[in-house]
Amino acid sequence: MSEEIDIPASAWEIKAIFPTRPGDDVIAEIKAYIKAFGTPHLWRGHTHAPPPKDGPVVYLDEIHLPSSHCGDLNRHKWSPCPICSPRHPKFYKAGMIAWFPDEQAIRIIGPECFASFNLEGHSAAYAAFRREQDERRTEAFLLSHLGQVGDAIAVIEHNMETIKEIDRVREIIARRIPIVIDFDLWHHIRADQRLRTEHERRAVSKDRYGEEREVVVRDSIVYGPVIGHIMLEPKAKPIQDRLSVCKTRLRLVDFGETYAQHLATLPAEEKRKMAKFLQKEVRKAHELLAEAAEVKRFLSAENVATLRGWGKHEDCPTRLYIAFAPDGRQLRLGRTDEQYQTMTVRPAFWDSLRQITMLAAQRSAAE
């Protein structure tokens, strides 16, 4: 057993100084003290005497000892628990700040230690604590993000002309290329976004009787990657339509500068639903703008050059010519530089897409 901790007499005194539920200021004081000293049992308001087994308990928050007190190597620095281990180290993480309203006292205890006294009381208090924590997080999320909804809608509206042109170009290219070159380029690249050449060679093979015969072997060789391959997706839904739906749905939670007042009128369940709805729609908007940006990359100078080089390679499974006319607006698609069709790519296609800042960090982390 670990060495016994010297608990001063002052810690054992029942400090009945919290007649009402302690607020955030008390919780902040406790956490600051623990961070600085790592000794919850010595905080001025902590009662180290054990609580009554049948008394109610309210969990206010979770605490963790500083890193200098964590892990098995620092067991001698762990905190004692007034319930189950009052004189010996018990825990270093997930301890609970527990308020006992009948005694008007606070105890800082191990994460599940009160369950050994009163399992039903612990379970009910812990469930209530988790519920409150979820509600606080939801409230904080909405207060941080509802004011940005109008900006997100403005970004979507600003991008619409470019999105419309991206959709138009995508629909034409995805439909026209297979016809012009008589080859399913989407099927060729969709698995791993790679262009391949096919080289035939003759080799000698033995059959199961040991007799040799000459066979033709077809080798598939990676030529290079295709950037923005989703430009070629034949059944892609227009981004503009999907983004318009997203914008319409975001308007439902655009309360302008009165968002805080509106939020204050809602019950917890409605706030939870609103937070879930907002995250879903903003993330969808991020995904659609990312899809549009990826489609645009197909017509980057690098990708067009790669496709053109592949299309004239002697081992290419088809012939493909793709290039921009000198004016930069007419895209040429065909089998050769003498046999092609043209299509106009309007200036809006090249405009930079503005990005929604709301939840952008979460999206980057996910990627």
Side-chain angles (χ1 to χ4, degrees):
M1 181 176 286
S2 302
E3 185 176 346
E4 187 172 291
I5 299 172
D6 181 23
I7 307 294
S10 59
W12 297 95
E13 297 174 0
I14 296 178
K15 302 174 183 67
I17 56 176
F18 303 102
T20 59
R21 176 171 175 150
D24 292 342
D25 56 335
V26 174
I27 294 172
E29 179 190 333
I30 295 172
K31 288 188 170 184
Y33 181 89
I34 293 172
K35 181 178 180 181
F37 302 103
T39 53
H41 59 289
L42 298 181
W43 174 65
R44 67 169 183 86
H46 169 77
T47 294
H48 207 62
K53 293 186 177 183
D54 57 353
V57 62
V58 176
Y59 292 136
L60 302 176
D61 210 337
E62 211 170 52
I63 62 99
H64 304 273
L65 299 191
S67 57
S68 58
H69 291 56
C70 295
D72 288 339
L73 294 178
N74 294 306
R75 181 179 290 272
H76 60 290
K77 296 181 180 180
W78 291 8
S79 175
C81 173
I83 293 176
C84 59
S85 184
R87 297 185 183 276
H88 294 88
K90 174 64 178 181
F91 68 93
Y92 69 89
K93 63 179 177 180
M96 302 302 296
I97 302 173
W99 175 53
F100 295 83
D102 285 359
E103 297 175 280
Q104 303 181 13
I106 286 179
R107 292 177 177 87
I108 303 169
I109 65 178
E112 297 182 350
C113 296
F114 191 69
S116 63
F117 265 27
N118 184 338
L119 178 58
E120 184 178 349
H122 163 78
S123 299
Y126 194 75
F129 168 70
R130 284 301 177 203
R131 193 162 54 247
E132 289 176 1
Q133 291 294 97
D134 288 342
E135 290 173 4
R136 289 173 71 121
R137 281 192 290 268
T138 297
E139 179 92 4
F141 172 82
L142 290 172
L143 286 174
S144 297
H145 294 90
L146 280 177
Q148 303 175 47
V149 174
D151 293 336
I153 292 171
V155 167
I156 293 173
E157 291 175 340
H158 175 85
N159 288 329
M160 274 305 187
E161 192 61 31
T162 298
I163 297 290
K164 179 180 179 181
E165 180 62 8
I166 291 172
D167 280 338
R168 186 189 72 86
V169 170
R170 185 187 203 179
E171 190 276 329
I172 294 173
I173 288 179
R175 172 171 43 84
R176 187 175 296 183
I177 282 185
I179 297 173
V180 168
I181 67 175
D182 192 25
F183 182 78
D184 191 345
L185 185 56
W186 170 250
H187 179 77
H188 180 81
I189 58 97
R190 66 178 298 182
D192 60 1
Q193 299 87 62
R194 297 269 191 292
L195 295 166
R196 286 176 165 76
T197 57
E198 296 179 355
H199 179 70
E200 288 188 359
R201 59 183 175 85
R202 296 187 178 278
V204 175
S205 174
K206 290 184 178 181
D207 60 23
R208 61 179 179 173
Y209 302 109
E211 295 183 4
E212 294 184 348
R213 59 189 181 89
E214 189 177 75
V215 296
V216 176
V217 178
R218 191 182 297 271
D219 295 321
S220 178
I221 303 169
V222 173
Y223 178 84
V226 177
I227 301 172
H229 75 288
I230 56 175
M231 170 73 88
L232 300 172
E233 189 174 353
K235 295 182 179 180
K237 297 178 181 178
I239 300 173
Q240 181 186 13
D241 294 349
R242 290 177 282 158
L243 201 54
S244 292
V245 171
C246 192
K247 181 184 73 171
T248 299
R249 290 173 65 81
L250 282 174
R251 287 194 186 281
L252 298 175
V253 290
D254 181 16
F255 307 110
E257 296 181 357
T258 65
Y259 66 89
Q261 295 92 313
H262 179 79
L263 193 61
T265 67
L266 299 179
E269 181 61 19
E270 288 302 312
K271 292 176 184 178
R272 187 190 66 79
K273 290 179 180 178
M274 181 183 292
K276 185 176 180 180
F277 175 88
L278 181 58
Q279 289 185 74
K280 177 183 176 182
E281 295 307 319
V282 172
R283 286 171 179 165
K284 185 63 176 179
H286 277 300
E287 291 170 3
L288 292 171
L289 292 177
E291 180 182 342
E294 185 64 15
V295 172
K296 285 182 66 176
R297 295 179 69 208
F298 184 83
L299 293 185
S300 66
E302 175 188 0
N303 195 60
V304 168
T306 297
L307 287 166
R308 187 168 59 251
W310 172 77
K312 63 183 181 182
H313 192 284
E314 62 179 358
D315 293 329
C316 181
T318 186
R319 296 291 97 189
L320 170 64
Y321 173 72
I322 179 170
F324 278 97
D327 65 4
R329 295 187 61 178
Q330 298 297 316
L331 180 65
R332 297 168 176 174
L333 295 172
R335 294 181 64 83
T336 69
D337 57 3
E338 296 180 347
Q339 181 186 357
Y340 60 81
Q341 300 177 5
T342 62
M343 65 170 288
T344 300
V345 179
R346 297 166 184 154
F349 181 91
W350 305 109
D351 289 344
S352 296
L353 290 166
R354 288 188 185 175
Q355 298 302 309
I356 294 172
T357 58
M358 194 193 321
L359 300 181
Q362 291 185 25
R363 174 171 173 78
S364 298
E367 292 173 343

